[in-house]
Amino acid sequence: MKRLLCLFIAILLLTACGNDSTKEEPGLIPKVDDVEEIQTQVNTEDKEVETEIDEPEKELNEYITPEEVKEILEDAGMGEEDKLVSASVEDVEIKAVIETAPDDLFSADVLAVTRYSQASDELLDHEGWQVLTIEYVDIGTISMNRSEKETNEYDMDYFPTEEIEKRLK
């Protein structure tokens, strides 16, 4: 696309340099050069592509299902060796039990906070729940209410990490 644009600009410059007549005949409507017409089409196509990319639609589910919860937890809230013991949606509360695998680099507490944060970021994109409670086996439980979420400068919802750390018991 950039090459095509450069080619058209070069043609425009060559056409402009080779055209000695700068005066227009009075009473006549100037004709549109083929090059200018092509340039207009290229600009229009660029704007259409930008519009499609710049305006992604964010879909929210009305209610979240237990299957969606399991998928989100496995994709965003667990390490490769972790095990999802259980996950359910009861009334307006998501409940899960996760067994975290040992890690040589990070403590179990840090892993639990990080994984809860990652899972909750994804789950906040879905409606139909008010409380997220995840028990990390042999580490502790973290529970937060949806009303405690904050929104960052990119208009994304999240639970503050400091608050998640305080809730780990």
Short mmCIF file of all heavy atoms in Angstrom, two decimals, residues 18-84:
data_model
loop_
_atom_site.label_atom_id
_atom_site.label_comp_id
_atom_site.label_asym_id
_atom_site.label_seq_id
_atom_site.Cartn_x
_atom_site.Cartn_y
_atom_site.Cartn_z
N GLY A 18 6.24 18.52 -15.74
CA GLY A 18 6.16 18.53 -17.19
C GLY A 18 5.06 19.41 -17.74
O GLY A 18 4.96 19.62 -18.93
N ASN A 19 4.24 19.96 -16.91
CA ASN A 19 3.10 20.77 -17.36
C ASN A 19 3.48 22.24 -17.31
O ASN A 19 3.60 22.83 -16.25
CB ASN A 19 1.88 20.48 -16.46
CG ASN A 19 0.61 21.08 -16.99
OD1 ASN A 19 0.62 21.75 -18.02
ND2 ASN A 19 -0.47 20.86 -16.28
N ASP A 20 3.70 22.87 -18.49
CA ASP A 20 4.11 24.26 -18.57
C ASP A 20 2.94 25.23 -18.46
O ASP A 20 3.11 26.38 -18.12
CB ASP A 20 4.85 24.54 -19.88
CG ASP A 20 6.21 23.88 -19.88
OD1 ASP A 20 6.78 23.72 -18.78
OD2 ASP A 20 6.68 23.54 -20.95
N SER A 21 1.76 24.76 -18.77
CA SER A 21 0.62 25.69 -18.77
C SER A 21 0.08 25.81 -17.35
O SER A 21 -0.45 24.86 -16.80
CB SER A 21 -0.48 25.20 -19.72
OG SER A 21 -0.99 23.97 -19.26
N THR A 22 0.23 26.99 -16.79
CA THR A 22 -0.26 27.23 -15.45
C THR A 22 -1.53 28.05 -15.48
O THR A 22 -2.16 28.23 -14.47
CB THR A 22 0.79 27.97 -14.60
OG1 THR A 22 1.16 29.16 -15.27
CG2 THR A 22 2.01 27.08 -14.38
N LYS A 23 -1.87 28.57 -16.66
CA LYS A 23 -3.08 29.37 -16.78
C LYS A 23 -4.23 28.49 -17.20
O LYS A 23 -4.09 27.61 -18.02
CB LYS A 23 -2.90 30.48 -17.83
CG LYS A 23 -1.84 31.48 -17.47
CD LYS A 23 -1.76 32.53 -18.54
CE LYS A 23 -0.67 33.54 -18.24
NZ LYS A 23 -0.55 34.53 -19.30
N GLU A 24 -5.38 28.75 -16.63
CA GLU A 24 -6.57 28.06 -17.04
C GLU A 24 -7.33 28.94 -18.00
O GLU A 24 -7.34 30.17 -17.89
CB GLU A 24 -7.45 27.75 -15.82
CG GLU A 24 -6.85 26.77 -14.86
CD GLU A 24 -7.77 26.51 -13.69
OE1 GLU A 24 -8.92 26.94 -13.73
OE2 GLU A 24 -7.31 25.90 -12.74
N GLU A 25 -7.97 28.33 -18.97
CA GLU A 25 -8.77 29.09 -19.91
C GLU A 25 -10.04 29.53 -19.20
O GLU A 25 -10.69 28.74 -18.51
CB GLU A 25 -9.12 28.24 -21.12
CG GLU A 25 -7.91 27.87 -21.95
CD GLU A 25 -8.30 27.05 -23.16
OE1 GLU A 25 -9.45 27.17 -23.61
OE2 GLU A 25 -7.45 26.33 -23.64
N PRO A 26 -10.39 30.80 -19.31
CA PRO A 26 -11.59 31.29 -18.63
C PRO A 26 -12.84 30.60 -19.17
O PRO A 26 -12.96 30.35 -20.36
CB PRO A 26 -11.61 32.79 -18.94
CG PRO A 26 -10.66 32.98 -20.08
CD PRO A 26 -9.74 31.82 -20.11
N GLY A 27 -13.75 30.32 -18.27
CA GLY A 27 -15.03 29.76 -18.63
C GLY A 27 -15.04 28.25 -18.74
O GLY A 27 -16.09 27.66 -18.89
N LEU A 28 -13.88 27.61 -18.70
CA LEU A 28 -13.84 26.16 -18.79
C LEU A 28 -13.60 25.56 -17.41
O LEU A 28 -12.84 26.08 -16.61
CB LEU A 28 -12.71 25.70 -19.73
CG LEU A 28 -12.87 26.06 -21.20
CD1 LEU A 28 -11.65 25.56 -21.96
CD2 LEU A 28 -14.12 25.42 -21.78
N ILE A 29 -14.27 24.47 -17.16
CA ILE A 29 -14.07 23.76 -15.90
C ILE A 29 -12.87 22.85 -16.07
O ILE A 29 -12.80 22.08 -17.02
CB ILE A 29 -15.31 22.92 -15.53
CG1 ILE A 29 -16.52 23.84 -15.37
CG2 ILE A 29 -15.06 22.10 -14.28
CD1 ILE A 29 -17.82 23.11 -15.17
N PRO A 30 -11.88 22.95 -15.17
CA PRO A 30 -10.69 22.11 -15.33
C PRO A 30 -11.04 20.64 -15.19
O PRO A 30 -11.89 20.26 -14.39
CB PRO A 30 -9.77 22.56 -14.20
CG PRO A 30 -10.52 23.54 -13.39
CD PRO A 30 -11.82 23.81 -14.04
N LYS A 31 -10.39 19.79 -15.98
CA LYS A 31 -10.61 18.35 -15.94
C LYS A 31 -9.75 17.75 -14.81
O LYS A 31 -8.69 18.24 -14.49
CB LYS A 31 -10.22 17.70 -17.27
CG LYS A 31 -11.12 18.11 -18.39
CD LYS A 31 -10.73 17.39 -19.65
CE LYS A 31 -11.68 17.78 -20.78
NZ LYS A 31 -11.31 17.11 -22.02
N VAL A 32 -10.24 16.67 -14.24
CA VAL A 32 -9.52 15.99 -13.17
C VAL A 32 -8.51 15.05 -13.81
O VAL A 32 -8.85 14.24 -14.67
CB VAL A 32 -10.49 15.20 -12.28
CG1 VAL A 32 -9.74 14.43 -11.21
CG2 VAL A 32 -11.50 16.13 -11.65
N ASP A 33 -7.25 15.18 -13.45
CA ASP A 33 -6.22 14.27 -13.94
C ASP A 33 -6.51 12.85 -13.47
O ASP A 33 -7.05 12.65 -12.38
CB ASP A 33 -4.83 14.66 -13.41
CG ASP A 33 -4.16 15.72 -14.24
OD1 ASP A 33 -4.17 15.59 -15.48
OD2 ASP A 33 -3.61 16.64 -13.62
N ASP A 34 -6.15 11.89 -14.27
CA ASP A 34 -6.31 10.50 -13.86
C ASP A 34 -5.50 10.22 -12.60
O ASP A 34 -5.93 9.49 -11.73
CB ASP A 34 -5.85 9.56 -14.98
CG ASP A 34 -6.81 9.57 -16.16
OD1 ASP A 34 -7.97 9.97 -15.97
OD2 ASP A 34 -6.38 9.17 -17.27
N VAL A 35 -4.33 10.82 -12.51
CA VAL A 35 -3.47 10.60 -11.34
C VAL A 35 -4.13 11.12 -10.08
O VAL A 35 -4.12 10.47 -9.05
CB VAL A 35 -2.09 11.27 -11.56
CG1 VAL A 35 -1.24 11.16 -10.31
CG2 VAL A 35 -1.38 10.66 -12.75
N GLU A 36 -4.73 12.30 -10.16
CA GLU A 36 -5.40 12.86 -8.99
C GLU A 36 -6.60 12.00 -8.60
O GLU A 36 -6.88 11.80 -7.42
CB GLU A 36 -5.85 14.30 -9.27
CG GLU A 36 -4.70 15.28 -9.38
CD GLU A 36 -5.17 16.68 -9.75
OE1 GLU A 36 -6.31 16.84 -10.22
OE2 GLU A 36 -4.39 17.59 -9.54
N GLU A 37 -7.29 11.47 -9.58
CA GLU A 37 -8.45 10.62 -9.30
C GLU A 37 -8.01 9.34 -8.59
O GLU A 37 -8.62 8.91 -7.62
CB GLU A 37 -9.15 10.28 -10.62
CG GLU A 37 -10.46 9.54 -10.41
CD GLU A 37 -11.18 9.33 -11.74
OE1 GLU A 37 -11.11 10.21 -12.61
OE2 GLU A 37 -11.81 8.28 -11.87
N ILE A 38 -6.92 8.76 -9.07
CA ILE A 38 -6.39 7.55 -8.43
C ILE A 38 -5.93 7.87 -7.02
O ILE A 38 -6.18 7.12 -6.09
CB ILE A 38 -5.25 6.95 -9.27
CG1 ILE A 38 -5.80 6.42 -10.59
CG2 ILE A 38 -4.52 5.86 -8.50
CD1 ILE A 38 -4.74 6.01 -11.59
N GLN A 39 -5.28 9.02 -6.82
CA GLN A 39 -4.81 9.42 -5.50
C GLN A 39 -6.00 9.56 -4.55
O GLN A 39 -5.93 9.15 -3.39
CB GLN A 39 -4.03 10.75 -5.58
CG GLN A 39 -3.47 11.20 -4.25
CD GLN A 39 -2.43 10.24 -3.71
OE1 GLN A 39 -1.64 9.69 -4.45
NE2 GLN A 39 -2.43 10.03 -2.42
N THR A 40 -7.08 10.14 -5.03
CA THR A 40 -8.29 10.29 -4.20
C THR A 40 -8.83 8.93 -3.80
O THR A 40 -9.22 8.71 -2.65
CB THR A 40 -9.36 11.09 -4.97
OG1 THR A 40 -8.81 12.35 -5.34
CG2 THR A 40 -10.60 11.29 -4.12
N GLN A 41 -8.83 7.97 -4.74
CA GLN A 41 -9.31 6.64 -4.44
C GLN A 41 -8.43 5.97 -3.38
O GLN A 41 -8.93 5.32 -2.47
CB GLN A 41 -9.35 5.78 -5.70
CG GLN A 41 -10.42 6.19 -6.68
CD GLN A 41 -10.33 5.44 -8.00
OE1 GLN A 41 -9.36 4.72 -8.24
NE2 GLN A 41 -11.32 5.61 -8.84
N VAL A 42 -7.12 6.13 -3.51
CA VAL A 42 -6.20 5.55 -2.53
C VAL A 42 -6.44 6.15 -1.16
O VAL A 42 -6.52 5.44 -0.16
CB VAL A 42 -4.72 5.75 -2.96
CG1 VAL A 42 -3.77 5.39 -1.83
CG2 VAL A 42 -4.42 4.93 -4.21
N ASN A 43 -6.60 7.47 -1.08
CA ASN A 43 -6.86 8.13 0.21
C ASN A 43 -8.16 7.64 0.81
O ASN A 43 -8.26 7.42 2.01
CB ASN A 43 -6.89 9.65 0.04
CG ASN A 43 -5.52 10.23 -0.19
OD1 ASN A 43 -4.51 9.61 0.13
ND2 ASN A 43 -5.47 11.43 -0.75
N THR A 44 -9.19 7.46 -0.01
CA THR A 44 -10.48 6.99 0.48
C THR A 44 -10.35 5.57 1.02
O THR A 44 -10.88 5.26 2.09
CB THR A 44 -11.53 7.02 -0.66
OG1 THR A 44 -11.61 8.35 -1.17
CG2 THR A 44 -12.89 6.58 -0.17
N GLU A 45 -9.62 4.70 0.30
CA GLU A 45 -9.43 3.33 0.77
C GLU A 45 -8.68 3.31 2.09
O GLU A 45 -9.00 2.54 2.98
CB GLU A 45 -8.66 2.52 -0.28
CG GLU A 45 -9.49 2.22 -1.51
CD GLU A 45 -8.67 1.57 -2.62
OE1 GLU A 45 -7.50 1.21 -2.37
OE2 GLU A 45 -9.21 1.42 -3.72
N ASP A 46 -7.65 4.16 2.25
CA ASP A 46 -6.90 4.24 3.50
C ASP A 46 -7.81 4.62 4.65
O ASP A 46 -7.72 4.06 5.74
CB ASP A 46 -5.75 5.25 3.41
CG ASP A 46 -4.58 4.73 2.59
OD1 ASP A 46 -4.55 3.51 2.31
OD2 ASP A 46 -3.71 5.54 2.23
N LYS A 47 -8.69 5.58 4.45
CA LYS A 47 -9.59 6.03 5.52
C LYS A 47 -10.54 4.92 5.93
O LYS A 47 -10.84 4.74 7.09
CB LYS A 47 -10.37 7.27 5.08
CG LYS A 47 -9.51 8.51 5.03
CD LYS A 47 -10.29 9.70 4.56
CE LYS A 47 -9.38 10.92 4.42
NZ LYS A 47 -10.05 12.06 3.82
N GLU A 48 -11.03 4.14 4.94
CA GLU A 48 -11.93 3.05 5.25
C GLU A 48 -11.23 1.99 6.08
O GLU A 48 -11.78 1.47 7.04
CB GLU A 48 -12.47 2.43 3.96
CG GLU A 48 -13.47 3.32 3.24
CD GLU A 48 -13.87 2.77 1.87
OE1 GLU A 48 -13.45 1.64 1.53
OE2 GLU A 48 -14.59 3.48 1.16
N VAL A 49 -10.00 1.66 5.75
CA VAL A 49 -9.24 0.67 6.50
C VAL A 49 -8.97 1.17 7.91
O VAL A 49 -9.14 0.45 8.88
CB VAL A 49 -7.91 0.34 5.77
CG1 VAL A 49 -7.00 -0.49 6.66
CG2 VAL A 49 -8.19 -0.36 4.46
N GLU A 50 -8.58 2.45 8.07
CA GLU A 50 -8.33 3.01 9.39
C GLU A 50 -9.58 2.94 10.25
O GLU A 50 -9.52 2.65 11.43
CB GLU A 50 -7.86 4.45 9.28
CG GLU A 50 -6.45 4.59 8.75
CD GLU A 50 -6.05 6.02 8.51
OE1 GLU A 50 -6.79 6.93 8.95
OE2 GLU A 50 -5.02 6.26 7.88
N THR A 51 -10.73 3.22 9.68
CA THR A 51 -11.98 3.20 10.43
C THR A 51 -12.24 1.81 10.98
O THR A 51 -12.62 1.65 12.13
CB THR A 51 -13.16 3.63 9.52
OG1 THR A 51 -12.88 4.93 9.03
CG2 THR A 51 -14.46 3.63 10.28
N GLU A 52 -12.01 0.78 10.15
CA GLU A 52 -12.24 -0.58 10.61
C GLU A 52 -11.30 -0.94 11.76
O GLU A 52 -11.70 -1.59 12.69
CB GLU A 52 -12.02 -1.55 9.45
CG GLU A 52 -13.06 -1.43 8.37
CD GLU A 52 -12.71 -2.27 7.15
OE1 GLU A 52 -11.81 -3.14 7.25
OE2 GLU A 52 -13.33 -2.05 6.10
N ILE A 53 -10.07 -0.51 11.71
CA ILE A 53 -9.09 -0.86 12.73
C ILE A 53 -9.28 -0.04 14.00
O ILE A 53 -9.18 -0.55 15.11
CB ILE A 53 -7.66 -0.66 12.18
CG1 ILE A 53 -7.42 -1.66 11.06
CG2 ILE A 53 -6.62 -0.81 13.28
CD1 ILE A 53 -6.14 -1.43 10.31
N ASP A 54 -9.59 1.25 13.86
CA ASP A 54 -9.65 2.14 15.01
C ASP A 54 -10.90 1.97 15.87
O ASP A 54 -10.95 2.45 16.98
CB ASP A 54 -9.57 3.61 14.56
CG ASP A 54 -8.19 3.95 14.03
OD1 ASP A 54 -7.25 3.19 14.26
OD2 ASP A 54 -8.08 4.98 13.38
N GLU A 55 -11.92 1.31 15.36
CA GLU A 55 -13.17 1.22 16.10
C GLU A 55 -13.57 -0.22 16.39
O GLU A 55 -14.61 -0.69 15.94
CB GLU A 55 -14.28 1.91 15.31
CG GLU A 55 -14.04 3.38 15.09
CD GLU A 55 -15.10 4.02 14.20
OE1 GLU A 55 -16.13 3.39 13.96
OE2 GLU A 55 -14.87 5.15 13.77
N PRO A 56 -12.76 -0.95 17.18
CA PRO A 56 -13.16 -2.32 17.49
C PRO A 56 -14.34 -2.29 18.45
O PRO A 56 -14.42 -1.44 19.33
CB PRO A 56 -11.92 -2.90 18.16
CG PRO A 56 -11.23 -1.74 18.74
CD PRO A 56 -11.52 -0.58 17.80
N GLU A 57 -15.24 -3.21 18.25
CA GLU A 57 -16.40 -3.28 19.14
C GLU A 57 -16.11 -4.27 20.25
O GLU A 57 -15.61 -5.36 20.03
CB GLU A 57 -17.63 -3.71 18.35
CG GLU A 57 -18.08 -2.66 17.37
CD GLU A 57 -19.39 -3.02 16.70
OE1 GLU A 57 -20.13 -3.86 17.26
OE2 GLU A 57 -19.66 -2.47 15.64
N LYS A 58 -16.42 -3.86 21.46
CA LYS A 58 -16.20 -4.69 22.62
C LYS A 58 -17.54 -5.30 23.01
O LYS A 58 -18.46 -4.60 23.42
CB LYS A 58 -15.64 -3.82 23.76
CG LYS A 58 -15.24 -4.58 24.97
CD LYS A 58 -14.65 -3.62 25.98
CE LYS A 58 -14.25 -4.31 27.23
NZ LYS A 58 -13.74 -3.40 28.22
N GLU A 59 -17.64 -6.60 22.83
CA GLU A 59 -18.88 -7.27 23.15
C GLU A 59 -18.85 -7.77 24.59
O GLU A 59 -17.86 -8.34 25.04
CB GLU A 59 -19.09 -8.46 22.21
CG GLU A 59 -19.34 -8.04 20.79
CD GLU A 59 -19.62 -9.24 19.90
OE1 GLU A 59 -19.99 -10.30 20.43
OE2 GLU A 59 -19.47 -9.09 18.69
N LEU A 60 -19.94 -7.56 25.29
CA LEU A 60 -20.06 -8.06 26.64
C LEU A 60 -21.16 -9.11 26.68
O LEU A 60 -22.22 -8.93 26.10
CB LEU A 60 -20.40 -6.93 27.62
CG LEU A 60 -19.34 -5.84 27.79
CD1 LEU A 60 -19.87 -4.76 28.71
CD2 LEU A 60 -18.07 -6.42 28.36
N ASN A 61 -20.88 -10.21 27.32
CA ASN A 61 -21.91 -11.23 27.48
C ASN A 61 -22.88 -10.79 28.56
O ASN A 61 -22.50 -10.18 29.54
CB ASN A 61 -21.28 -12.56 27.88
CG ASN A 61 -20.40 -13.11 26.79
OD1 ASN A 61 -20.61 -12.83 25.62
ND2 ASN A 61 -19.41 -13.88 27.17
N GLU A 62 -24.16 -11.11 28.37
CA GLU A 62 -25.15 -10.74 29.37
C GLU A 62 -24.91 -11.53 30.66
O GLU A 62 -24.93 -10.98 31.74
CB GLU A 62 -26.56 -11.00 28.83
CG GLU A 62 -27.62 -10.45 29.74
CD GLU A 62 -28.98 -10.54 29.12
OE1 GLU A 62 -29.10 -10.48 27.89
OE2 GLU A 62 -29.95 -10.69 29.89
N TYR A 63 -24.68 -12.83 30.54
CA TYR A 63 -24.39 -13.67 31.69
C TYR A 63 -23.21 -14.56 31.35
O TYR A 63 -23.03 -14.97 30.22
CB TYR A 63 -25.59 -14.54 32.05
CG TYR A 63 -26.77 -13.72 32.52
CD1 TYR A 63 -27.83 -13.47 31.67
CD2 TYR A 63 -26.78 -13.18 33.80
CE1 TYR A 63 -28.90 -12.70 32.10
CE2 TYR A 63 -27.85 -12.40 34.22
CZ TYR A 63 -28.90 -12.17 33.37
OH TYR A 63 -29.94 -11.41 33.78
N ILE A 64 -22.44 -14.87 32.37
CA ILE A 64 -21.29 -15.74 32.15
C ILE A 64 -21.65 -17.16 32.58
O ILE A 64 -22.32 -17.35 33.60
CB ILE A 64 -20.04 -15.21 32.89
CG1 ILE A 64 -18.80 -15.93 32.44
CG2 ILE A 64 -20.23 -15.26 34.39
CD1 ILE A 64 -17.53 -15.21 32.78
N THR A 65 -21.24 -18.12 31.80
CA THR A 65 -21.55 -19.52 32.09
C THR A 65 -20.36 -20.17 32.80
O THR A 65 -19.23 -19.68 32.69
CB THR A 65 -21.84 -20.29 30.80
OG1 THR A 65 -20.64 -20.35 30.01
CG2 THR A 65 -22.96 -19.64 30.00
N PRO A 66 -20.60 -21.27 33.49
CA PRO A 66 -19.50 -21.99 34.13
C PRO A 66 -18.43 -22.43 33.12
O PRO A 66 -17.24 -22.41 33.44
CB PRO A 66 -20.18 -23.20 34.77
CG PRO A 66 -21.59 -22.76 35.00
CD PRO A 66 -21.91 -21.84 33.86
N GLU A 67 -18.84 -22.78 31.91
CA GLU A 67 -17.89 -23.18 30.88
C GLU A 67 -16.98 -22.01 30.49
O GLU A 67 -15.78 -22.18 30.30
CB GLU A 67 -18.62 -23.71 29.63
CG GLU A 67 -19.33 -25.03 29.85
CD GLU A 67 -20.66 -24.89 30.59
OE1 GLU A 67 -21.27 -23.79 30.58
OE2 GLU A 67 -21.08 -25.88 31.22
N GLU A 68 -17.57 -20.82 30.37
CA GLU A 68 -16.77 -19.63 30.06
C GLU A 68 -15.79 -19.31 31.20
O GLU A 68 -14.64 -18.94 30.95
CB GLU A 68 -17.68 -18.42 29.81
CG GLU A 68 -18.43 -18.48 28.52
CD GLU A 68 -19.43 -17.35 28.37
OE1 GLU A 68 -20.20 -17.10 29.32
OE2 GLU A 68 -19.42 -16.72 27.30
N VAL A 69 -16.26 -19.46 32.43
CA VAL A 69 -15.39 -19.22 33.60
C VAL A 69 -14.19 -20.16 33.55
O VAL A 69 -13.05 -19.73 33.71
CB VAL A 69 -16.18 -19.39 34.92
CG1 VAL A 69 -15.22 -19.40 36.11
CG2 VAL A 69 -17.21 -18.29 35.07
N LYS A 70 -14.46 -21.44 33.31
CA LYS A 70 -13.36 -22.43 33.24
C LYS A 70 -12.37 -22.05 32.14
O LYS A 70 -11.15 -22.08 32.35
CB LYS A 70 -13.92 -23.82 32.99
CG LYS A 70 -14.65 -24.40 34.18
CD LYS A 70 -15.25 -25.75 33.86
CE LYS A 70 -16.07 -26.25 35.05
NZ LYS A 70 -16.77 -27.51 34.76
N GLU A 71 -12.88 -21.69 30.98
CA GLU A 71 -12.01 -21.34 29.86
C GLU A 71 -11.17 -20.10 30.17
O GLU A 71 -9.96 -20.08 29.91
CB GLU A 71 -12.87 -21.09 28.61
CG GLU A 71 -12.05 -20.82 27.38
CD GLU A 71 -12.92 -20.63 26.15
OE1 GLU A 71 -14.01 -21.24 26.06
OE2 GLU A 71 -12.49 -19.87 25.27
N ILE A 72 -11.79 -19.09 30.75
CA ILE A 72 -11.06 -17.86 31.08
C ILE A 72 -10.00 -18.13 32.14
O ILE A 72 -8.86 -17.67 32.02
CB ILE A 72 -12.04 -16.75 31.54
CG1 ILE A 72 -12.87 -16.27 30.35
CG2 ILE A 72 -11.29 -15.59 32.18
CD1 ILE A 72 -14.05 -15.40 30.72
N LEU A 73 -10.36 -18.90 33.16
CA LEU A 73 -9.39 -19.21 34.21
C LEU A 73 -8.21 -20.01 33.65
O LEU A 73 -7.06 -19.73 33.98
CB LEU A 73 -10.06 -19.98 35.35
CG LEU A 73 -11.02 -19.18 36.22
CD1 LEU A 73 -11.73 -20.10 37.21
CD2 LEU A 73 -10.31 -18.05 36.93
N GLU A 74 -8.49 -20.98 32.79
CA GLU A 74 -7.42 -21.78 32.22
C GLU A 74 -6.53 -20.97 31.29
O GLU A 74 -5.32 -21.17 31.25
CB GLU A 74 -8.00 -22.99 31.49
CG GLU A 74 -8.58 -24.02 32.45
CD GLU A 74 -9.37 -25.12 31.77
OE1 GLU A 74 -9.70 -25.00 30.56
OE2 GLU A 74 -9.69 -26.11 32.45
N ASP A 75 -7.13 -20.04 30.55
CA ASP A 75 -6.35 -19.23 29.59
C ASP A 75 -5.61 -18.07 30.25
O ASP A 75 -4.47 -17.79 29.91
CB ASP A 75 -7.27 -18.66 28.50
CG ASP A 75 -7.78 -19.73 27.56
OD1 ASP A 75 -7.24 -20.85 27.57
OD2 ASP A 75 -8.74 -19.45 26.82
N ALA A 76 -6.28 -17.39 31.18
CA ALA A 76 -5.71 -16.14 31.71
C ALA A 76 -5.30 -16.20 33.18
O ALA A 76 -4.52 -15.36 33.62
CB ALA A 76 -6.71 -15.01 31.52
N GLY A 77 -5.82 -17.14 33.93
CA GLY A 77 -5.60 -17.10 35.37
C GLY A 77 -4.82 -18.26 35.95
O GLY A 77 -4.84 -18.46 37.16
N MET A 78 -4.15 -19.02 35.08
CA MET A 78 -3.42 -20.17 35.59
C MET A 78 -2.10 -20.33 34.85
O MET A 78 -1.98 -19.96 33.68
CB MET A 78 -4.25 -21.45 35.40
CG MET A 78 -5.52 -21.48 36.23
SD MET A 78 -6.58 -22.90 35.87
CE MET A 78 -5.49 -24.26 36.07
N GLY A 79 -1.14 -20.90 35.55
CA GLY A 79 0.11 -21.26 34.91
C GLY A 79 -0.03 -22.59 34.21
O GLY A 79 -1.02 -23.31 34.37
N GLU A 80 0.99 -22.95 33.44
CA GLU A 80 0.94 -24.16 32.63
C GLU A 80 0.78 -25.43 33.48
O GLU A 80 0.08 -26.35 33.09
CB GLU A 80 2.23 -24.25 31.82
CG GLU A 80 2.14 -25.14 30.63
CD GLU A 80 3.36 -25.02 29.76
OE1 GLU A 80 3.58 -23.94 29.19
OE2 GLU A 80 4.10 -26.02 29.65
N GLU A 81 1.39 -25.45 34.63
CA GLU A 81 1.35 -26.65 35.48
C GLU A 81 0.25 -26.58 36.55
O GLU A 81 0.07 -27.55 37.29
CB GLU A 81 2.71 -26.84 36.17
CG GLU A 81 3.88 -26.99 35.21
CD GLU A 81 3.82 -28.29 34.42
OE1 GLU A 81 3.48 -29.32 35.02
OE2 GLU A 81 4.09 -28.25 33.21
N ASP A 82 -0.47 -25.47 36.63
CA ASP A 82 -1.54 -25.34 37.63
C ASP A 82 -2.71 -26.25 37.27
O ASP A 82 -2.88 -26.66 36.12
CB ASP A 82 -2.03 -23.89 37.70
CG ASP A 82 -0.97 -22.94 38.23
OD1 ASP A 82 0.05 -23.41 38.76
OD2 ASP A 82 -1.17 -21.73 38.10
N LYS A 83 -3.55 -26.53 38.28
CA LYS A 83 -4.69 -27.42 38.08
C LYS A 83 -5.97 -26.73 38.57
O LYS A 83 -6.02 -26.24 39.70
CB LYS A 83 -4.47 -28.72 38.85
CG LYS A 83 -5.61 -29.70 38.73
CD LYS A 83 -5.36 -30.94 39.56
CE LYS A 83 -6.58 -31.84 39.54
NZ LYS A 83 -6.47 -32.93 40.50
N LEU A 84 -6.98 -26.70 37.71
CA LEU A 84 -8.27 -26.15 38.09
C LEU A 84 -9.06 -27.27 38.77
O LEU A 84 -9.48 -28.24 38.13
CB LEU A 84 -9.02 -25.63 36.86
CG LEU A 84 -10.40 -25.03 37.11
CD1 LEU A 84 -10.30 -23.80 38.02
CD2 LEU A 84 -11.05 -24.64 35.78
#
